[in-house]
Amino acid sequence: MASYYFAIVGVTDNPIYETEIIPSSRSSRDDHKHLNQFIVHAALDVVEEVQWNTQAMFLKSIDRFNEYFVSCFVTAGNVKLMLLHDQKSEDSIKNFFNEVYEQYIKVLLNPFYEKNSLITNGQFDQKVKASARRYL
Amino acid sequence: MDSSLRSTNTTTSSSYSDQRIPRGKSILDRNLNKTRGAEVSLGAQAFLFSEILQYTQKRVNGIQDLEQKLNELGYRAGIRMLELLSWREKASKRETRVLGVLYFIHNVVWKYLFGKQADSLEKSTENEDEYMISDNEPILSRYISVPKELSQLNCNAYIAGIVEACLDGYQFPARVTAHTVPIDGFPQRTTILIKLDKDVLQREEQWK
């Protein structure tokens, strides 16, 4: 099972939600965690270029860094769901994104939740991790 | 709704595992299509909106301020409407051109709000960056009678806020205002005037 880093980035390039899915067999490599953030941040530029060329929400694999791929899903409100992965499996990633997108809309519909603010909902976190286990 | 509120109130640390996760249905389990097609009674809506107006009127000085406040309230509703309607209408498709967004507002948003499409979508001949969406009989302000001193006020500034949120979300920032433009047979006709930012026009130029 491969490791993944998933982040939801707001309109002003601020992280709204982050999570890592690391297989238990591999020891947690703390020294590389910040690198994930850098890679995703750099990929945001590419997203901004590519998003105008297509009307799809799922922009497949838009960037590469050494052995990592970055896939992106842009929502209607320009919030980006970014996934850092080292294996290509488009369909399962697409399903994962769709499920997270649905949960994100439900969180957004809360009138007490400001768009672009951090998502601190524990159940959202649980749902994302459950989707990740199912699809990734 | 209650269960998700409780779970966020009991946490003091930022780690998710410390939160007490209650069992039972939460808002995240609810289907997004559950309230599709649901309607609200006009009386209830008119009552709520009149209270909103009275509330904001006490806290502003001037017509511009009042319209600005209504615009902000509509903006907050519009953000959520945009994502929800996009998802319901055609999941995984977004609009990337001005005309597409305007059609989205003209058809989908209006249908969701008022049960019918907007009455017209026009492009201004004088300015490149102005578009107008008109409604012959705006339901929101049907029971509002505006006194003579405030004749410039149009309470559909709330709707203008919703439209502005949809445009902003799709990355077409604009200034949106509501104006009363009566014509024969429709004294209450309201036009939502959309003035797009310069960057948007520049971007559109690239795609021509």
Side-chain angles (χ1 to χ4, degrees):
Chain A
M1 189 190 141
S3 70
Y4 301 89
Y5 171 75
F6 173 66
I8 302 186
V9 184
V11 183
T12 51
D13 293 349
N14 55 318
I16 293 178
Y17 173 81
E18 294 174 296
T19 186
E20 280 183 320
I21 302 129
I22 317 173
S24 42
S25 51
R26 229 195 282 179
S27 61
S28 72
R29 299 150 50 165
D30 287 316
D31 48 335
H32 288 279
K33 277 190 184 158
H34 61 279
L35 193 62
N36 293 336
Q37 285 200 342
F38 275 128
I39 302 175
V40 170
H41 198 263
L44 288 176
D45 279 338
V46 185
V47 175
E48 290 208 5
E49 279 174 57
V50 178
Q51 75 181 90
W52 295 110
N53 296 334
T54 170
Q55 284 203 324
M57 283 191 182
F58 178 51
L59 320 170
K60 303 165 201 171
S61 173
I62 45 152
D63 196 21
R64 265 202 73 168
F65 178 80
N66 295 349
E67 77 271 18
Y68 290 118
F69 296 94
V70 182
S71 294
C72 181
F73 183 95
V74 184
T75 70
N78 204 39
V79 167
K80 300 156 193 109
L81 315 180
M82 315 280 289
L83 181 69
L84 194 68
H85 54 99
D86 48 11
Q87 284 168 3
K88 263 200 167 199
S89 47
E90 273 184 18
D91 269 342
S92 50
I93 294 181
K94 186 189 212 181
N95 290 330
F96 171 66
F97 274 146
N98 276 322
E99 283 215 1
V100 178
Y101 181 39
E102 245 192 82
Q103 300 304 329
Y104 169 73
I105 295 182
K106 289 175 195 171
V107 170
L108 177 67
L109 282 175
N110 182 355
F112 296 114
Y113 171 74
E114 294 291 333
K115 185 179 172 185
N116 278 337
S117 61
L118 290 171
I119 298 182
T120 52
N121 192 334
Q123 289 167 325
F124 178 78
D125 181 56
Q126 281 186 338
K127 294 261 173 186
V128 170
K129 294 205 159 99
S131 297
R133 254 175 284 140
R134 213 175 322 139
Y135 290 112
L136 298 174
Chain B
M1 183 69 175
D2 281 337
S3 51
S4 54
L5 276 177
R6 246 187 289 134
S7 65
T8 48
N9 282 339
T10 51
T11 185
T12 48
S13 76
S14 58
S15 147
Y16 298 121
S17 54
D18 285 358
Q19 286 180 359
R20 176 164 53 91
I21 308 292
R23 275 159 281 155
K25 286 207 90 162
S26 80
I27 194 73
L28 292 177
D29 291 322
R30 227 176 109 144
N31 189 349
L32 276 177
N33 275 327
K34 185 169 178 184
T35 51
R36 189 174 196 158
E39 291 184 343
V40 174
S41 85
L42 183 55
Q45 168 64 39
F47 179 66
L48 179 63
F49 194 62
S50 90
E51 284 303 316
I52 292 176
L53 271 177
Q54 289 175 42
Y55 177 88
T56 39
Q57 222 175 357
K58 285 198 209 116
R59 284 161 175 75
V60 296
N61 38 350
I63 299 179
Q64 299 289 20
D65 253 355
L66 182 55
E67 287 201 345
Q68 178 67 21
K69 269 264 148 63
L70 288 175
N71 191 310
E72 278 167 29
L73 288 172
Y75 192 90
R76 291 175 54 87
I79 301 175
R80 293 155 173 94
M81 247 185 257
L82 170 68
E83 293 268 14
L84 184 62
L85 294 180
S86 280
W87 184 86
R88 279 185 184 171
E89 188 66 12
K90 18 178 198 166
S92 27
K93 277 267 177 297
R94 355 176 300 268
E95 300 294 340
T96 48
R97 304 281 180 267
V98 170
L99 223 45
V101 186
L102 291 175
Y103 272 126
F104 173 75
I105 297 173
H106 180 273
N107 298 343
V108 181
V109 179
W110 237 256
K111 220 168 189 179
Y112 172 75
L113 289 171
F114 307 120
K116 61 175 176 98
Q117 290 185 359
D119 290 310
S120 78
L121 168 62
E122 297 159 334
K123 184 174 151 76
S124 162
T125 42
E126 292 141 33
N127 303 329
E128 272 296 309
D129 53 355
E130 282 187 0
Y131 290 86
M132 294 160 288
I133 297 183
S134 308
D135 198 341
N136 288 336
E137 289 180 33
I139 302 179
L140 194 65
S141 49
R142 185 187 294 183
Y143 300 118
I144 299 180
S145 44
V146 184
K148 257 210 201 114
E149 316 78 78
L150 303 171
S151 61
Q152 280 186 11
L153 170 71
N154 190 324
C155 297
N156 288 304
Y158 188 84
I159 307 293
I162 295 180
V163 174
E164 189 170 336
C166 291
L167 288 164
D168 259 356
Y170 271 131
Q171 298 294 95
F172 294 90
R175 251 187 327 126
V176 187
T177 47
H179 304 272
T180 332
V181 184
I183 59 173
D184 287 340
F186 301 114
Q188 292 211 334
R189 187 162 180 265
T190 299
T191 300
I192 310 279
L193 181 65
I194 300 169
K195 199 171 168 66
L196 297 163
D197 275 0
K198 274 195 272 300
D199 318 328
V200 176
L201 290 179
Q202 279 179 345
R203 202 173 55 207
E204 284 287 300
E205 280 297 315
Q206 288 179 350
W207 310 126
K208 280 221 179 104

